[in-house]
Amino acid sequence: ISLFQTNISVIDHFESLGVTSRDYALNWFERLFVSSLPFHSVLYIFDAFLNEGSKILYRAALAILEEIKPRLM
């Protein structure tokens, strides 16, 4: 499942603003969400990352976008 498949309205909105996934997701993935989420959430994601691998980072990014969608639109 891609961001495009799950939320086309967010993609359209980002494109209209000239925002690419690299603009936000690169920071999330490089820093494992440390600068974007509460510490407890970061620990949960890090634990899941160690247990499940990198796919959890993608799932976390999709969850964040879904959660903040009302503020983005």
Side-chain angles (χ1 to χ4, degrees), residues 34-67:
V34 168
S35 60
S36 305
L37 295 174
F39 187 65
H40 183 272
S41 299
V42 172
L43 291 178
Y44 180 81
I45 290 172
F46 189 68
D47 183 54
F49 172 69
L50 292 175
N51 287 309
E52 298 180 37
S54 61
K55 66 183 175 185
I56 193 66
L57 300 179
Y58 187 69
R59 290 177 184 164
L62 289 175
I64 290 170
L65 289 173
E66 186 63 32
E67 181 66 28

Side-chain angles (χ1 to χ4, degrees), residues 10-24:
V10 171
I11 290 294
D12 289 342
H13 184 63
F14 283 172
E15 285 179 356
S16 73
L17 297 173
V19 175
T20 66
S21 60
R22 183 180 178 97
D23 295 328
Y24 57 89

